Amino acid sequence: MSDSPHSIQFVDTADDVVRVVQLTDTHLCRARGGTLLGMDTDHSLQAVIDLVKAERADAHLLLGTGDLADGGARPAYDRLQVYFDQLTADNYWLPGNHDCREAMTAAASRPNRLCREIRISRWQLLLLDSQVPGKVGGTLGEDELAWLERALQAAQEHALHTLVCLHHQPVAVGCSWLDEQKVSDAEAFFAVLDRFAGVRAVLWGHVHQEIDRQRNGVRLLASPSTCVQFAPGSENFKVDDQPPGYRWLELHGDGRIETAVSRVRGVHFQVELDSGGYL
Ligand SMILES: [Fe+2]
């Protein structure tokens, strides 16, 4: 959906294993201390950042996979940059349905913060834009899919493994209310992926819950939000009592992926468990 030019961000490392941290759906409000469904999203993000510092301080890359600000306000992205800069990992952002690309771009401390392709060691990471301004659900669109195909072709020529990242889920996750919002052209998306054997995983946010599946040998991964979680298997909107968390990934030179979710323990977070809606 983006018309930003295609530029590749090359990240140097002598390591064979690329260490990635995904922080998603941070939902920062305009002012510090704002809440989502009763939870202070600044407080929960700082708790997750503290956990990453303790567990994954040596990560190469930090990926923010959308809904970084709850209402797309510039001050939220300014604070996001300060939070992410507490970690030494290079951080990159892609937009979710709650985000404003212009405000993200203006706030990013480096113009390549919103780059769409990263190459590091034997890996290519692609950051797709599934946002449709004004809509909750996701669509990639013909231009984005054509770009994806060209990028995967280039990866194949360089014998790189690929991790594809986006905000919305490309498969049904089992929550009826969320699955109405899945990527509308997911069939075309997978038709492209199926043509390239180097695609190892697809990673997304939006669903505020952990998913780890396989499709045609490709790992399908979703991750908890750094704030409020949604209950797996729910027909209607339902908040879960799971704590905030993040996903780490280790991308090996032979294409293997090790990954898991880690959650904040021992910290109390206020949340409205009986809330009936989410804007
Ligand atoms: Fe979200």
Side-chain angles (χ1 to χ4, degrees), residues 24-27 36 65-70 96-98 167 178 205-208 225 227-228 230 278-279:
T24 196
D25 295 83
T26 51
H27 285 271
L36 176 69
T65 50
D67 284 3
L68 300 174
D70 193 54
N97 46 295
H98 283 255
H167 179 69
L178 274 172
H206 190 64
V207 297
H208 293 222
S225 162
C227 58
V228 176
F230 300 146
Y278 173 67
L279 296 174

Side-chain angles (χ1 to χ4, degrees), residues 15 17-23 47-63 83-91 245-252 257-263:
D15 296 343
V17 179
V18 177
R19 294 180 292 277
V20 178
V21 162
Q22 179 200 18
L23 295 180
V48 174
I49 295 264
D50 289 343
L51 184 63
V52 175
K53 282 182 193 168
E55 296 179 342
R56 297 278 149 183
D58 61 351
H60 299 98
L61 302 176
L62 165 57
L63 304 178
Y83 283 117
F84 280 8
D85 282 347
Q86 292 179 34
L87 302 166
T88 56
D90 264 359
N91 63 83
Y246 75 99
R247 177 179 291 282
W248 60 263
L249 305 97
E250 291 185 352
L251 312 178
H252 291 257
I257 296 175
E258 290 179 77
T259 182
V261 158
S262 182
R263 295 180 190 265

Side-chain angles (χ1 to χ4, degrees), residues 98-224:
H98 283 255
D99 287 309
C100 169
R101 179 174 273 279
E102 290 71 28
M104 292 169 80
T105 304
S109 63
R110 281 201 332 229
N112 59 10
R113 199 68 78 205
L114 278 81
C115 77
R116 307 177 64 213
E117 177 171 359
I118 302 163
R119 292 192 191 176
I120 178 169
S121 188
R122 301 307 311 154
W123 283 80
Q124 173 198 58
L125 285 76
L126 300 179
L127 281 65
L128 300 182
D129 184 350
S130 59
Q131 184 201 60
V132 183
K135 294 206 168 179
V136 178
T139 296
L140 289 165
E142 281 182 22
D143 290 351
E144 194 77 347
L145 291 173
W147 176 81
L148 171 65
E149 179 144 23
R150 289 196 299 275
L152 290 174
Q153 185 69 45
Q156 186 166 272
E157 286 160 12
H158 291 87
L160 299 174
H161 311 290
T162 300
L163 170 65
V164 179
C165 309
L166 73 169
H167 179 69
H168 293 85
Q169 74 274 28
V171 294
V173 297
C175 295
S176 305
W177 68 276
L178 274 172
D179 287 335
E180 292 172 7
Q181 303 162 14
K182 89 176 171 81
V183 173
S184 63
D185 47 1
E187 204 173 316
F189 169 67
F190 282 116
V192 173
L193 297 194
D194 287 345
R195 290 201 276 281
F196 297 93
V199 178
R200 302 298 175 201
V202 182
L203 174 70
W204 64 87
H206 190 64
V207 297
H208 293 222
Q209 60 193 275
E210 180 181 359
I211 305 278
D212 189 344
R213 300 181 189 160
Q214 297 263 355
R215 179 193 174 279
N216 288 354
V218 175
R219 199 96 171 250
L220 303 179
L221 300 164
S223 309

